[in-house]
Amino acid sequence: MLRTALRNVFAHKARLLMTVLAVMLGVAFVSGTLVFTSTISDAYQKSSEKGYSNVDLAIEPAAGGDPGAPGRPPGDRKRLTQATLDKARELPGTESASGSVTGFTALADKDGKLVGEGWQTTGGNYDSGRNGKGEDARYPMKNGRAPQNSDEVAIDSATAKRVGFEVGDTARMSVDGPVLEQRVVGIFTTDDGNVAAGGTLVLFDTPTAQRLYAQPGQYDQITLKAADGTSQAQLKSQAEKIIPKGADAVTGKKLAADQSERIKEGMSGMQTAMLVFAGISLFVGIFIIANTFTMLVAQRTKELALLRAVGAGRRQVTRSVLVEALVVGSVAAVAGLAAGVGIGAALRSLMGSFGATVPDGPLVVDGTAVGASLATGIVVTVLAAWLPARKAAKIPPVAAMSSVHAAATTRSLVIRNTIGALLAGAGTALVLYGAGMDDRDTAKIPLSAGAATLLIGVFVLTPLLSRPLIAAAAPFMRIFGVAGKLARQNSVRNPRRTAATASALMIGLTLITGLTVVAGSVQQAVEKMATDSLRADYTVSMANQTPLSADVERKLLREDQVESVSPMRNSPARVGSSTEYLTGVNGSTISDLTDLPFVSGGWDGLSGNKAVVDKDTAERKKWKTGSTFPVTFEDGKKTRMTVSGVYEGNELIRGIMLDTGTLDPHMKQLSSMQVMVKTKEGASSSVKASLEKALGDNPAVLVQDEKDVTESIAKIFTLMLNMLYGLLAMAVVVAVLGVVNTLAMSVFERSQEIGMLRAIGLDRRGIKRMVRLESLVISLFGGVLGIGLGVFFGWAAGKVVGLSLSTYSLVLPWERIGIFLGLAAVVGMLAALWPARRAARLNMLTAIKTE
């Protein structure tokens, strides 16, 4: 039986090729994902560990202050002082100690564009020691010297090489808005993992860095290098005696381990997402494998019956088919693993073409990737083949040899249709129930369960659905005469096979359509929210969404083109028994810059101790116009505010708003999240250029009008959709293989029939047209089902999204739906090329004699 099974594998090479390809693609996606994520994770981890090679101990400040503590502002960021650094340097186990302060620093290249876009662009300090004449071991100078004055900087060697900076050049940069013109006095090397990953690092002298990122004499972290003979644990024990209350001393080993864990967690999301799409491809591949083995078993009915007649038992027949599946799965798994390693390497190289830099490191093919690939390919193939094998073993030998055993009729599908109808009904009910719920988090469970149940139910029902839906294509098929009529009849001859073939394409298009509907609707909702709630001609913000310096607002006010300006500041405060963020706006101009509907009250008289709040906050706090509430500001000062208006908030503008004249005196650092600007001439390219020039043509500052906001939102969603389309394309490719496989075997089954058609006058062109039209009908059937389900799921998911997005409304992307339907038709035509050519080349006399 083993020899028979192996002989069958090699005897049907062409028929099993599509199955091997389908399994191989799914396995390649799984192994490629694991290899890629392991390689990137390993590279970042090693780079991170290298960055801590000179750190034996780090002293970290206490976490943010307790908002409830008397006199302590909420969210207060603690820092370390110069006194702590001096004490650390005096420890007997310390060889050297450095204080570091870091923050966002946007560096422009020689063309004025932001360097390191998409990666962290950071700045920090070069610690020259207690007397200011020492060296910072973290940053060895390659060329030049360390920065010593406020107008000097040093730049990491990787960035200098990439951009072309040399010692003596002038570099333009920004920390919180204003442009800084700094002279490059040094180029240094570093093991910083951020730099190795394509980021930038700019170093200032310590006083300048403290002024830009913190306060004079303050540090974000103090790092120590142990003296010879002192272990990290001993140094930690010494440091714990001198660190401030609440601060923590962490060994270099733990820092590296924690960083590695963070990298793993960061990569796990990407890995999970990619594995989900790999699973979808494999799920689609299961239909093809099961379909292939079902047809192979059906074609070998007499052969298997003869084996039964000469003494083979049912289990032996089942095992022979499973051995074939094992061989096919093993070959496909090994090929998929090899292809996956190539995919992992290609993805890593592809990151570079998108401007992303990955730290150097070897390609990692670990045991997890190998084991998962082999297990996936073999287990999926064997499981998919088990049902056809079991079915083949049950066929009575006499019935099979005398051709009494026939394919299942429509009546034999009653049980299947009943089960399918129950599943589809239950799934639809769950989806509708989830879509009607008011709690977003609770609605996800019935919605997800319902979508999966409905998808399975429709798959079970596809044999029943195939007849009426394909019959609807009859008027179109009549155009092609006899070939069209035969194609329609052939496509419904075996409903089970048609259903399995169409289902593979249906699943891919369901996901693609559903994602497109939701993404398009969310994009429109966000655009509507941005345009409806703002009257300002421009919004000014930092490119990385960090706070803007108050100097930006002052510069804009000096422009002749500017009519009115209002910042939007954020400051944490204690409001009653909870922590809230207060938003500071210009009370005299905010009504000209926003268009928020008010439930009661308004912007009028927003000054002093008056505040306006959004409707949700008012309902949560049980406030109304005229209500008063206690506030503890960031600096610890207390007062009572009066609600002068309640407005309809949205995801862009919400919360407690008060006049900047009231809030600014209590803020430790005056900055804004954005500045709204209204100009005398409205939005135009010349006005925008004038505003950008007033801000120093700063690449880190975005000056956006309504069109820019809309385009930036569209860009995000387009990028997201393209990534999803790329991942789902694998499932569509697998579906194409399924259609090719089904048609090829269908042609083999109908060799005698095709020979008869040729004999009675249907020419080769007619045979090709018949097979192509059959493929087209099956593909469009799957496409229509997939698009219909995708729209339904998109609508249901949108109802849940709408709970947290007030401007959400369903948008049906008709153009893309048309493209998807056209894609299904193209899939059908391409899949039919080889089977149609094979059918047309059959020798009619040989085909007629085929049994």
Side-chain angles (χ1 to χ4, degrees), residues 767-789:
I767 294 294
K768 283 184 179 180
R769 185 180 295 124
M770 178 187 72
V771 176
R772 286 171 183 165
L773 288 173
E774 180 183 347
S775 175
L776 178 64
V777 168
I778 292 173
S779 296
L780 286 176
F781 169 54
V784 169
L785 282 179
I787 290 171
L789 283 172

PDB file of all heavy atoms in Angstrom, residues 767-789:
ATOM      1  N   ILE A 767     -14.171  25.269 -27.528  1.00  0.00           N
ATOM      2  CA  ILE A 767     -13.800  24.549 -26.295  1.00  0.00           C
ATOM      3  C   ILE A 767     -13.101  25.508 -25.328  1.00  0.00           C
ATOM      4  O   ILE A 767     -13.405  25.537 -24.124  1.00  0.00           O
ATOM      5  CB  ILE A 767     -12.870  23.356 -26.625  1.00  0.00           C
ATOM      6  CG1 ILE A 767     -13.623  22.294 -27.438  1.00  0.00           C
ATOM      7  CG2 ILE A 767     -12.324  22.741 -25.333  1.00  0.00           C
ATOM      8  CD1 ILE A 767     -14.733  21.603 -26.716  1.00  0.00           C
ATOM      9  N   LYS A 768     -12.157  26.312 -25.860  1.00  0.00           N
ATOM     10  CA  LYS A 768     -11.461  27.283 -25.003  1.00  0.00           C
ATOM     11  C   LYS A 768     -12.448  28.262 -24.388  1.00  0.00           C
ATOM     12  O   LYS A 768     -12.388  28.563 -23.191  1.00  0.00           O
ATOM     13  CB  LYS A 768     -10.431  28.052 -25.832  1.00  0.00           C
ATOM     14  CG  LYS A 768      -9.161  27.292 -26.132  1.00  0.00           C
ATOM     15  CD  LYS A 768      -8.181  28.201 -26.869  1.00  0.00           C
ATOM     16  CE  LYS A 768      -6.874  27.479 -27.162  1.00  0.00           C
ATOM     17  NZ  LYS A 768      -5.903  28.354 -27.874  1.00  0.00           N
ATOM     18  N   ARG A 769     -13.364  28.762 -25.207  1.00  0.00           N
ATOM     19  CA  ARG A 769     -14.345  29.732 -24.714  1.00  0.00           C
ATOM     20  C   ARG A 769     -15.214  29.100 -23.629  1.00  0.00           C
ATOM     21  O   ARG A 769     -15.526  29.741 -22.623  1.00  0.00           O
ATOM     22  CB  ARG A 769     -15.210  30.233 -25.874  1.00  0.00           C
ATOM     23  CG  ARG A 769     -16.185  31.339 -25.443  1.00  0.00           C
ATOM     24  CD  ARG A 769     -17.022  31.825 -26.617  1.00  0.00           C
ATOM     25  NE  ARG A 769     -16.188  32.465 -27.616  1.00  0.00           N
ATOM     26  CZ  ARG A 769     -16.133  32.101 -28.895  1.00  0.00           C
ATOM     27  NH1 ARG A 769     -16.865  31.078 -29.321  1.00  0.00           N
ATOM     28  NH2 ARG A 769     -15.368  32.736 -29.753  1.00  0.00           N
ATOM     29  N   MET A 770     -15.598  27.845 -23.802  1.00  0.00           N
ATOM     30  CA  MET A 770     -16.436  27.156 -22.820  1.00  0.00           C
ATOM     31  C   MET A 770     -15.733  27.078 -21.462  1.00  0.00           C
ATOM     32  O   MET A 770     -16.317  27.404 -20.416  1.00  0.00           O
ATOM     33  CB  MET A 770     -16.771  25.751 -23.318  1.00  0.00           C
ATOM     34  CG  MET A 770     -17.612  24.910 -22.352  1.00  0.00           C
ATOM     35  SD  MET A 770     -17.804  23.205 -22.918  1.00  0.00           S
ATOM     36  CE  MET A 770     -16.145  22.566 -22.632  1.00  0.00           C
ATOM     37  N   VAL A 771     -14.452  26.671 -21.465  1.00  0.00           N
ATOM     38  CA  VAL A 771     -13.714  26.530 -20.210  1.00  0.00           C
ATOM     39  C   VAL A 771     -13.487  27.907 -19.577  1.00  0.00           C
ATOM     40  O   VAL A 771     -13.619  28.073 -18.357  1.00  0.00           O
ATOM     41  CB  VAL A 771     -12.376  25.806 -20.460  1.00  0.00           C
ATOM     42  CG1 VAL A 771     -11.553  25.746 -19.174  1.00  0.00           C
ATOM     43  CG2 VAL A 771     -12.613  24.402 -20.988  1.00  0.00           C
ATOM     44  N   ARG A 772     -13.181  28.917 -20.387  1.00  0.00           N
ATOM     45  CA  ARG A 772     -12.945  30.255 -19.848  1.00  0.00           C
ATOM     46  C   ARG A 772     -14.217  30.835 -19.231  1.00  0.00           C
ATOM     47  O   ARG A 772     -14.176  31.453 -18.175  1.00  0.00           O
ATOM     48  CB  ARG A 772     -12.443  31.176 -20.964  1.00  0.00           C
ATOM     49  CG  ARG A 772     -11.008  30.911 -21.376  1.00  0.00           C
ATOM     50  CD  ARG A 772     -10.655  31.699 -22.613  1.00  0.00           C
ATOM     51  NE  ARG A 772      -9.302  31.405 -23.081  1.00  0.00           N
ATOM     52  CZ  ARG A 772      -8.848  31.727 -24.283  1.00  0.00           C
ATOM     53  NH1 ARG A 772      -9.630  32.355 -25.146  1.00  0.00           N
ATOM     54  NH2 ARG A 772      -7.619  31.433 -24.630  1.00  0.00           N
ATOM     55  N   LEU A 773     -15.332  30.631 -19.919  1.00  0.00           N
ATOM     56  CA  LEU A 773     -16.594  31.154 -19.389  1.00  0.00           C
ATOM     57  C   LEU A 773     -16.992  30.436 -18.108  1.00  0.00           C
ATOM     58  O   LEU A 773     -17.547  31.039 -17.179  1.00  0.00           O
ATOM     59  CB  LEU A 773     -17.702  31.026 -20.439  1.00  0.00           C
ATOM     60  CG  LEU A 773     -17.597  31.985 -21.626  1.00  0.00           C
ATOM     61  CD1 LEU A 773     -18.641  31.635 -22.679  1.00  0.00           C
ATOM     62  CD2 LEU A 773     -17.776  33.430 -21.168  1.00  0.00           C
ATOM     63  N   GLU A 774     -16.727  29.125 -18.052  1.00  0.00           N
ATOM     64  CA  GLU A 774     -16.999  28.378 -16.820  1.00  0.00           C
ATOM     65  C   GLU A 774     -16.186  28.955 -15.661  1.00  0.00           C
ATOM     66  O   GLU A 774     -16.704  29.172 -14.563  1.00  0.00           O
ATOM     67  CB  GLU A 774     -16.657  26.906 -17.023  1.00  0.00           C
ATOM     68  CG  GLU A 774     -16.914  26.034 -15.805  1.00  0.00           C
ATOM     69  CD  GLU A 774     -16.498  24.587 -16.019  1.00  0.00           C
ATOM     70  OE1 GLU A 774     -16.239  24.195 -17.171  1.00  0.00           O
ATOM     71  OE2 GLU A 774     -16.424  23.855 -15.012  1.00  0.00           O
ATOM     72  N   SER A 775     -14.905  29.213 -15.907  1.00  0.00           N
ATOM     73  CA  SER A 775     -14.042  29.804 -14.881  1.00  0.00           C
ATOM     74  C   SER A 775     -14.528  31.199 -14.492  1.00  0.00           C
ATOM     75  O   SER A 775     -14.544  31.565 -13.317  1.00  0.00           O
ATOM     76  CB  SER A 775     -12.605  29.886 -15.413  1.00  0.00           C
ATOM     77  OG  SER A 775     -11.767  30.548 -14.497  1.00  0.00           O
ATOM     78  N   LEU A 776     -14.956  31.976 -15.512  1.00  0.00           N
ATOM     79  CA  LEU A 776     -15.442  33.325 -15.254  1.00  0.00           C
ATOM     80  C   LEU A 776     -16.679  33.306 -14.361  1.00  0.00           C
ATOM     81  O   LEU A 776     -16.790  34.083 -13.406  1.00  0.00           O
ATOM     82  CB  LEU A 776     -15.765  34.021 -16.582  1.00  0.00           C
ATOM     83  CG  LEU A 776     -16.326  35.445 -16.493  1.00  0.00           C
ATOM     84  CD1 LEU A 776     -15.293  36.383 -15.869  1.00  0.00           C
ATOM     85  CD2 LEU A 776     -16.737  35.946 -17.868  1.00  0.00           C
ATOM     86  N   VAL A 777     -17.606  32.397 -14.645  1.00  0.00           N
ATOM     87  CA  VAL A 777     -18.842  32.309 -13.865  1.00  0.00           C
ATOM     88  C   VAL A 777     -18.547  31.916 -12.425  1.00  0.00           C
ATOM     89  O   VAL A 777     -19.085  32.503 -11.477  1.00  0.00           O
ATOM     90  CB  VAL A 777     -19.808  31.304 -14.515  1.00  0.00           C
ATOM     91  CG1 VAL A 777     -20.958  30.971 -13.577  1.00  0.00           C
ATOM     92  CG2 VAL A 777     -20.366  31.864 -15.808  1.00  0.00           C
ATOM     93  N   ILE A 778     -17.673  30.917 -12.236  1.00  0.00           N
ATOM     94  CA  ILE A 778     -17.334  30.466 -10.873  1.00  0.00           C
ATOM     95  C   ILE A 778     -16.660  31.594 -10.093  1.00  0.00           C
ATOM     96  O   ILE A 778     -16.972  31.847  -8.928  1.00  0.00           O
ATOM     97  CB  ILE A 778     -16.430  29.215 -10.927  1.00  0.00           C
ATOM     98  CG1 ILE A 778     -17.206  28.023 -11.480  1.00  0.00           C
ATOM     99  CG2 ILE A 778     -15.883  28.892  -9.535  1.00  0.00           C
ATOM    100  CD1 ILE A 778     -16.349  26.796 -11.720  1.00  0.00           C
ATOM    101  N   SER A 779     -15.732  32.315 -10.743  1.00  0.00           N
ATOM    102  CA  SER A 779     -15.020  33.400 -10.073  1.00  0.00           C
ATOM    103  C   SER A 779     -15.964  34.549  -9.718  1.00  0.00           C
ATOM    104  O   SER A 779     -15.880  35.117  -8.623  1.00  0.00           O
ATOM    105  CB  SER A 779     -13.883  33.907 -10.955  1.00  0.00           C
ATOM    106  OG  SER A 779     -12.921  32.898 -11.155  1.00  0.00           O
ATOM    107  N   LEU A 780     -16.860  34.909 -10.645  1.00  0.00           N
ATOM    108  CA  LEU A 780     -17.812  35.984 -10.357  1.00  0.00           C
ATOM    109  C   LEU A 780     -18.787  35.576  -9.264  1.00  0.00           C
ATOM    110  O   LEU A 780     -19.215  36.412  -8.460  1.00  0.00           O
ATOM    111  CB  LEU A 780     -18.570  36.368 -11.631  1.00  0.00           C
ATOM    112  CG  LEU A 780     -17.760  37.181 -12.653  1.00  0.00           C
ATOM    113  CD1 LEU A 780     -18.583  37.416 -13.922  1.00  0.00           C
ATOM    114  CD2 LEU A 780     -17.312  38.508 -12.063  1.00  0.00           C
ATOM    115  N   PHE A 781     -19.141  34.292  -9.223  1.00  0.00           N
ATOM    116  CA  PHE A 781     -19.998  33.785  -8.153  1.00  0.00           C
ATOM    117  C   PHE A 781     -19.327  34.004  -6.798  1.00  0.00           C
ATOM    118  O   PHE A 781     -19.920  34.546  -5.853  1.00  0.00           O
ATOM    119  CB  PHE A 781     -20.294  32.305  -8.394  1.00  0.00           C
ATOM    120  CG  PHE A 781     -20.942  31.598  -7.236  1.00  0.00           C
ATOM    121  CD1 PHE A 781     -22.105  32.085  -6.652  1.00  0.00           C
ATOM    122  CD2 PHE A 781     -20.385  30.430  -6.722  1.00  0.00           C
ATOM    123  CE1 PHE A 781     -22.698  31.428  -5.585  1.00  0.00           C
ATOM    124  CE2 PHE A 781     -20.974  29.768  -5.658  1.00  0.00           C
ATOM    125  CZ  PHE A 781     -22.136  30.268  -5.090  1.00  0.00           C
ATOM    126  N   GLY A 782     -18.052  33.615  -6.695  1.00  0.00           N
ATOM    127  CA  GLY A 782     -17.300  33.855  -5.458  1.00  0.00           C
ATOM    128  C   GLY A 782     -17.136  35.331  -5.168  1.00  0.00           C
ATOM    129  O   GLY A 782     -17.210  35.768  -4.020  1.00  0.00           O
ATOM    130  N   GLY A 783     -16.925  36.140  -6.241  1.00  0.00           N
ATOM    131  CA  GLY A 783     -16.766  37.574  -6.060  1.00  0.00           C
ATOM    132  C   GLY A 783     -18.016  38.246  -5.537  1.00  0.00           C
ATOM    133  O   GLY A 783     -17.954  39.089  -4.634  1.00  0.00           O
ATOM    134  N   VAL A 784     -19.168  37.881  -6.092  1.00  0.00           N
ATOM    135  CA  VAL A 784     -20.436  38.470  -5.649  1.00  0.00           C
ATOM    136  C   VAL A 784     -20.712  38.120  -4.194  1.00  0.00           C
ATOM    137  O   VAL A 784     -21.100  38.976  -3.387  1.00  0.00           O
ATOM    138  CB  VAL A 784     -21.599  38.006  -6.549  1.00  0.00           C
ATOM    139  CG1 VAL A 784     -22.945  38.388  -5.944  1.00  0.00           C
ATOM    140  CG2 VAL A 784     -21.458  38.621  -7.938  1.00  0.00           C
ATOM    141  N   LEU A 785     -20.488  36.850  -3.822  1.00  0.00           N
ATOM    142  CA  LEU A 785     -20.689  36.445  -2.421  1.00  0.00           C
ATOM    143  C   LEU A 785     -19.738  37.207  -1.495  1.00  0.00           C
ATOM    144  O   LEU A 785     -20.144  37.703  -0.438  1.00  0.00           O
ATOM    145  CB  LEU A 785     -20.455  34.945  -2.270  1.00  0.00           C
ATOM    146  CG  LEU A 785     -21.565  33.999  -2.726  1.00  0.00           C
ATOM    147  CD1 LEU A 785     -21.134  32.553  -2.504  1.00  0.00           C
ATOM    148  CD2 LEU A 785     -22.865  34.279  -1.988  1.00  0.00           C
ATOM    149  N   GLY A 786     -18.463  37.295  -1.890  1.00  0.00           N
ATOM    150  CA  GLY A 786     -17.471  37.965  -1.049  1.00  0.00           C
ATOM    151  C   GLY A 786     -17.766  39.444  -0.874  1.00  0.00           C
ATOM    152  O   GLY A 786     -17.693  39.980   0.233  1.00  0.00           O
ATOM    153  N   ILE A 787     -18.114  40.115  -1.960  1.00  0.00           N
ATOM    154  CA  ILE A 787     -18.406  41.546  -1.882  1.00  0.00           C
ATOM    155  C   ILE A 787     -19.662  41.787  -1.054  1.00  0.00           C
ATOM    156  O   ILE A 787     -19.720  42.703  -0.225  1.00  0.00           O
ATOM    157  CB  ILE A 787     -18.552  42.139  -3.301  1.00  0.00           C
ATOM    158  CG1 ILE A 787     -17.182  42.159  -3.990  1.00  0.00           C
ATOM    159  CG2 ILE A 787     -19.142  43.552  -3.246  1.00  0.00           C
ATOM    160  CD1 ILE A 787     -17.227  42.509  -5.455  1.00  0.00           C
ATOM    161  N   GLY A 788     -20.689  40.943  -1.246  1.00  0.00           N
ATOM    162  CA  GLY A 788     -21.920  41.083  -0.462  1.00  0.00           C
ATOM    163  C   GLY A 788     -21.671  40.923   1.028  1.00  0.00           C
ATOM    164  O   GLY A 788     -22.129  41.742   1.845  1.00  0.00           O
ATOM    165  N   LEU A 789     -20.905  39.874   1.383  1.00  0.00           N
ATOM    166  CA  LEU A 789     -20.590  39.666   2.798  1.00  0.00           C
ATOM    167  C   LEU A 789     -19.696  40.790   3.330  1.00  0.00           C
ATOM    168  O   LEU A 789     -19.867  41.245   4.470  1.00  0.00           O
ATOM    169  CB  LEU A 789     -19.883  38.318   2.979  1.00  0.00           C
ATOM    170  CG  LEU A 789     -20.769  37.067   2.935  1.00  0.00           C
ATOM    171  CD1 LEU A 789     -19.901  35.818   2.931  1.00  0.00           C
ATOM    172  CD2 LEU A 789     -21.725  37.032   4.119  1.00  0.00           C
TER     173      LEU A 789
END
